[in-house]
Amino acid sequence: MEVQLLRAPSGEVIFLESNAEFVDALVWLLQAPLGSVLQSCSGDGVSKKVTHPFFHLTASIPRIRDAVFTAKKKDVIPQALDLAKVLSGQTHSKVDAKPPATHADCLYCLKVNAAKRPKQKHVQCPHCCVVVTTFQQVVQWAYCAKCVSQGQGSYYMVNNQVCTQCGVSNARTCNSCQWCDACSLTLSGFELPGMPPPQAAKACPTGSFKDTAKFMVTNSLEVFEASPVKMIELVSQVVDSFKGLKTC
């Protein structure tokens, strides 16, 4: 993790310049439920009244360009929690339990034919006439089940990579989302004999931003994509000239 401070002549920190790994750690702090609550408190008419750094962090992350993220921005930023419903008790009202799912996508069609074809659970697929029985079968097949199932494209699996979801190395991962088969199948609800258990979450998950991204983080935890123009703006808010500025 690389960081560099820019200090005013008085010693005050103007901003911290960092790589993607540092800001990934900040985003990890915003995961639900904390992030969902903060999102609900940082809307129009609210953010101007609060000064806590976490609110600034919550408001600034969504303003970063989509191109800097490695995944869809909506998948990285927690959704706002409707506090009014929580306080009124509406979120705890009795609801009918969902019946167990009786249909699922055919795993063979996803992994071999790159086609999303629902079928009845635990029966032979009417399209390919194949019944998948073990995880060892699945890892030999070409396509990413997650990407095909979610309509993101027909992407191939590549050997000897690191899964960005669980962090396991020397895995066979998708050349787009970079998830291994075990993580993809777990997300989709598949359970197969021989399938490894989900890996323990990393202490500070990374991967929300591209490795080449650079950021500036202020004392109030506002995060900006690094640029000369933004640097001048931040410096001018603290000092009148560049004379005496120090980096460390």
Side-chain angles (χ1 to χ4, degrees):
M1 186 179 297
E2 301 174 0
V3 298
Q4 189 172 37
L5 302 179
L6 181 66
R7 292 182 179 272
S10 63
E12 178 183 357
V13 175
I14 300 176
F15 65 81
L16 173 152
E17 186 177 78
S18 74
N19 57 11
E21 187 178 0
F22 180 83
V23 180
D24 267 319
L26 293 179
V27 172
W28 180 73
L29 295 176
L30 292 182
Q31 297 308 306
L34 174 62
S36 296
V37 174
L38 291 173
Q39 284 285 357
S40 67
C41 297
S42 60
D44 295 338
V46 179
S47 58
K48 296 179 181 179
K49 301 179 182 179
V50 296
T51 58
H52 194 282
F54 271 120
F55 288 104
H56 295 149
L57 176 62
T58 305
S60 64
I61 293 295
R63 292 197 291 261
I64 297 174
R65 293 184 305 128
D66 290 6
V68 179
F69 289 82
T70 57
K72 292 181 180 179
K73 188 184 294 186
K74 66 180 181 64
D75 295 333
V76 175
I77 301 170
Q79 297 298 308
L81 180 67
D82 192 331
L83 293 179
K85 287 186 177 180
V86 173
L87 295 174
S88 66
Q90 293 183 33
T91 57
H92 301 286
S93 58
K94 184 178 179 180
V95 295
D96 294 332
K98 292 178 64 176
T102 58
H103 288 74
D105 292 332
C106 170
L107 189 51
Y108 184 88
C109 288
L110 290 175
K111 292 281 295 174
V112 177
N113 301 323
K116 182 178 173 66
R117 292 168 175 163
K119 69 175 186 65
Q120 286 190 334
K121 280 191 170 183
H122 310 302
V123 299
Q124 182 174 283
C125 172
H127 301 281
C128 65
C129 299
V130 174
V131 177
V132 181
T133 57
T134 67
F135 181 73
Q136 283 68 31
Q137 286 179 291
V138 174
V139 296
Q140 305 300 320
W141 296 336
Y143 295 102
C144 172
K146 180 174 82 73
C147 287
V148 175
S149 178
Q150 296 178 352
Q152 296 175 354
S154 304
Y155 294 105
Y156 286 98
M157 305 297 288
V158 182
N159 291 329
N160 302 319
Q161 303 295 316
V162 176
C163 175
T164 57
Q165 172 66 8
C166 67
V168 66
S169 59
N170 297 321
R172 195 162 185 261
T173 67
C174 171
N175 65 358
S176 176
C177 69
Q178 298 180 340
W179 281 34
C180 67
D181 278 314
C183 289
S184 293
L185 299 191
T186 299
L187 176 70
S188 303
F190 289 103
E191 295 181 4
L192 293 171
M195 195 165 95
Q199 298 290 321
K202 291 177 281 186
C204 288
T206 60
S208 298
F209 302 97
K210 293 181 178 178
D211 292 338
T212 55
K214 297 290 183 182
F215 300 94
M216 296 182 294
V217 184
T218 68
N219 281 340
S220 59
L221 279 187
E222 288 183 287
V223 179
F224 303 98
E225 192 177 352
S227 74
V229 174
K230 178 57 70 173
M231 181 197 72
I232 293 173
E233 179 185 334
L234 294 178
V235 170
S236 64
Q237 293 173 359
V238 180
V239 296
D240 296 327
S241 72
F242 287 88
K243 185 178 180 179
L245 296 180
K246 299 178 181 179
T247 59
C248 59

